[in-house]
């Protein structure tokens, strides 16, 4: 299996007058849904796809709940998820309040096995 890529021109945002350069950009090869994952897992064990789907939905709900409480969610050989925030700076510690928080996002840090998988990929230019 290989990851397909296409070539796109991009301008340098720091120097708009500079000539464009061309960069390889990955091309998605479809998507896999929770239902599809449940079917795949069901074929690899003794559970039904409905049982697997229920477990995956429960994982989804529990991850949302745990992340919303500020916990780091570790998913074994997949990686960890954590909420991160960006905030405006203040001159004094006592001036910092929740209203200074401008944005939040989910950080994902891949586990070792997932990082190793990246090293085994091959690439093919899309037609």
């Amino acid at each position: 299996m290989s990851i397909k890529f296409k070539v796109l021109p991009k301008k340098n945002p720091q120097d708009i007058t500079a000539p464009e350069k061309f960069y390889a950009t990955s091309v998605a090869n479809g998507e896999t849904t929770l239902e599809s994952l449940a079917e795949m897992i069901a074929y690899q064990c003794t559970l039904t796809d409905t049982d697997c789907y229920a477990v995956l939905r429960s994982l989804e709900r529990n991850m949302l709940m745990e992340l919303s409480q500020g916990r780091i969610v570790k998913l074994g050989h997949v990686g960890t998820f954590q909420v991160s925030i960006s905030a405006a700076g203040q001159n004094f510690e006592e001036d910092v309040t929740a209203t200074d928080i401008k944005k939040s996002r989910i950080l994902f840090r891949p586990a070792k096995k997932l990082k190793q998988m990246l090293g085994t990929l091959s690439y093919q230019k899309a037609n």
Side-chain angles (χ1 to χ4, degrees):
M1 298 295 298
S2 65
I3 304 294
K4 293 194 182 219
F5 69 91
K6 63 183 176 183
V7 179
L8 293 179
K10 293 185 183 180
K11 288 203 172 281
N12 181 344
Q14 295 174 344
D15 183 2
I16 306 243
T17 61
E20 291 179 325
K21 288 190 176 184
F22 294 87
Y23 296 88
T25 304
S26 62
V27 176
N29 185 20
E31 66 182 27
T32 300
T33 64
L34 216 54
E35 292 86 355
S36 297
L37 285 171
E39 281 184 31
M40 287 183 237
I41 294 167
Y43 284 118
Q44 298 166 357
C45 66
T46 59
L47 298 173
T48 67
D49 58 338
T50 304
D51 292 333
C52 293
Y53 181 70
V55 169
L56 291 173
R57 286 296 314 262
S58 183
L59 172 65
E60 181 181 56
R61 281 190 300 273
N62 284 293
M63 282 184 67
L64 290 170
M65 185 178 64
E66 294 299 300
L67 287 168
S68 71
Q69 293 178 29
R71 293 188 180 98
I72 296 171
V73 176
K74 294 184 175 189
L75 282 184
H77 296 299
V78 174
T80 60
F81 296 83
Q82 180 178 5
V83 173
S84 172
I85 58 175
S86 298
Q90 298 296 339
N91 291 327
F92 302 101
E93 181 179 349
E94 58 271 10
D95 293 341
V96 176
T97 65
T99 58
D100 294 317
I101 298 170
K102 302 299 177 200
K103 183 169 88 171
S104 57
R105 62 182 185 269
I106 303 292
L107 295 180
F108 171 69
R109 289 184 296 279
K112 186 176 180 180
K113 280 195 176 188
L114 201 56
K115 285 183 192 177
Q116 289 171 341
M117 178 273 305
L118 291 173
T120 67
L121 297 175
S122 62
Y123 303 94
Q124 177 184 0
K125 198 170 189 178
N127 297 330

